Amino acid sequence: MPADRAALGAFLRSRRDRLTPAQAGIAAFPGPRRVPGLRKEELAVLAGLSPDHYSRLEQGRQHTVTDEVVHALSRALQLDEVERAHLRDLAAPSSRRRWSGPEAAQRPDPGMLRLMGVLDHVPVLLLGRRSQVLARNALLTAVLGAQVEPGSSFARWLFLDPDARVRIVNWADFAAAAVGALRYEVGRHPEDRRLAELVTELRRADADVAQWWEDQRVTFRTSLTKHVAHPSAGPLTFGIESVVGPHDPEQRLVVYTVEPDSPTARVLPVVAAWTSAVQESSRPGGASG
């Protein structure tokens, strides 16, 4: 079975398993049930497909999937907007999704860099494909306590550096969303070998990644609350928001927002000043002692 069609079948099965007949608004078909959610036949009826047609889709034997079928399945499975987009990506023929020619090096978008300069009072991170760090400000390094340098993989730091689980209090919430974002990217770029190798590496190295990968969750630009345990500033709370630029949809600016007059908002300038002082003292001719 082609890899892209196997991924399509796995995603359909996972969404079918999570939806019961009652939730779908239909009476359960008679007979013993061997699945936690909808049967194939029940989903086929909901989507207006023949049972044989749907079975071919889930088994990876249906090479052509029309937009009408994708829409019908999205409606029947009650998919959200991100899941609908992911299903469209999985249903597209590989020939239409394959990258052509050598891949150009990722370079940070100048507009995004200018925006980062305006936001230097909060931690900011610019990510590209495969969670590659394209740019970050000094305050992000100070808050996370990690040297996530441009060119490095933020996902590798998040899952492979033990300090990440200590520094991020609600690590599991944040990490599960990161896995969902990787799955969404794999759906968009199934021929990206480096992305596939990254996912394989993380699944082998971390049991949590392996578990979250199997649940087929997809995320994109998810707003999350991140709780950080800072060794000097104490507990910090951020609202994580992502912005995609108009010129390169593969780049997203991750901004650590703070509530006005919150404890984090009051202590963050102190962290920024301390970070600036450390940077100044480390430069040649800077203060010492």
Side-chain angles (χ1 to χ4, degrees), residues 10 13-14 37 63 97 101 109 125 133 138 158 173 178 183 196 219 237 240 259 264 283 286:
R13 281 192 300 275
S14 71
H63 295 290
R97 296 182 289 170
D109 181 89
L125 173 71
V133 177
L158 183 64
D173 296 336
R183 177 174 287 285
T219 57
T237 301
I240 307 300
E259 289 289 337
T264 299
R283 292 172 184 156

Side-chain angles (χ1 to χ4, degrees), residues 256-285:
Y256 286 50
T257 66
V258 295
E259 289 289 337
D261 298 322
S262 65
T264 299
R266 291 193 291 269
V267 77
L268 204 55
V270 178
V271 177
W274 174 80
T275 302
S276 179
V278 170
Q279 287 182 323
E280 183 65 28
S281 65
S282 66
R283 292 172 184 156

Side-chain angles (χ1 to χ4, degrees), residues 28-203:
F29 284 16
R33 305 190 69 82
R34 297 189 298 273
V35 294
L38 291 173
R39 293 174 174 172
K40 291 181 183 179
E41 297 81 2
E42 291 167 338
L43 177 54
V45 169
L46 276 171
L49 304 175
S50 71
D52 180 64
H53 187 176
Y54 179 75
S55 291
R56 291 199 305 272
L57 285 170
E58 198 168 288
Q59 294 167 6
R61 295 187 291 112
Q62 184 71 33
H63 295 290
T64 302
V65 186
T66 66
D67 291 339
E68 290 77 12
V69 168
V70 170
H71 177 74
L73 288 171
S74 297
R75 174 185 49 78
L77 290 168
Q78 302 178 11
L79 303 184
D80 61 29
E81 288 304 313
V82 175
E83 291 171 326
R84 286 171 181 259
H86 184 60
L87 181 59
R88 286 195 298 270
D89 288 334
L90 296 178
S94 293
S95 58
R96 206 169 77 199
R97 296 182 289 170
R98 183 173 291 115
W99 294 358
S100 60
E103 178 185 328
Q106 296 187 75
R107 299 184 183 279
D109 181 89
M112 289 295 204
L113 293 179
R114 290 193 293 271
L115 186 54
M116 287 185 69
V118 175
L119 297 171
D120 62 353
H121 59 291
V122 293
V124 186
L125 173 71
L126 181 62
L127 293 177
R129 295 190 301 273
R130 313 178 197 96
S131 78
Q132 180 178 332
V133 177
L134 300 180
R136 51 88 182 111
N137 63 8
L139 193 50
L140 180 107
T141 300
V143 165
L144 296 184
Q147 294 295 330
V148 281
E149 301 293 345
S152 66
S153 168
F154 192 78
R156 284 194 176 93
W157 171 77
L158 183 64
F159 292 108
L160 304 183
D161 189 334
D163 290 341
R165 298 174 187 251
V166 176
R167 185 63 68 105
I168 303 174
V169 177
N170 58 331
W171 179 88
D173 296 336
F174 194 74
V179 172
L182 283 172
R183 177 174 287 285
Y184 184 82
E185 188 174 359
V186 167
R188 295 186 66 190
H189 302 299
E191 306 301 327
D192 187 341
R193 290 185 180 180
R194 291 170 59 190
L195 177 60
E197 289 168 357
L198 172 64
V199 171
T200 299
E201 174 191 353
L202 296 178
R203 291 176 66 187

Side-chain angles (χ1 to χ4, degrees), residues 183-254:
R183 177 174 287 285
Y184 184 82
E185 188 174 359
V186 167
R188 295 186 66 190
H189 302 299
E191 306 301 327
D192 187 341
R193 290 185 180 180
R194 291 170 59 190
L195 177 60
E197 289 168 357
L198 172 64
V199 171
T200 299
E201 174 191 353
L202 296 178
R203 291 176 66 187
R204 289 174 176 172
D206 192 297
D208 289 319
V209 176
Q211 176 184 343
W212 290 324
W213 188 259
E214 291 305 318
D215 71 13
Q216 298 285 327
R217 178 188 178 190
V218 287
T219 57
F220 181 62
R221 295 201 304 265
T222 302
S223 297
L224 290 173
T225 299
K226 177 181 280 189
H227 299 285
V228 175
H230 194 279
S232 301
L236 304 174
T237 301
F238 299 97
I240 307 300
E241 304 294 341
S242 297
V243 179
V244 175
H247 303 299
D248 187 352
E250 302 290 347
Q251 295 189 26
R252 55 192 173 98
L253 194 66
V254 183

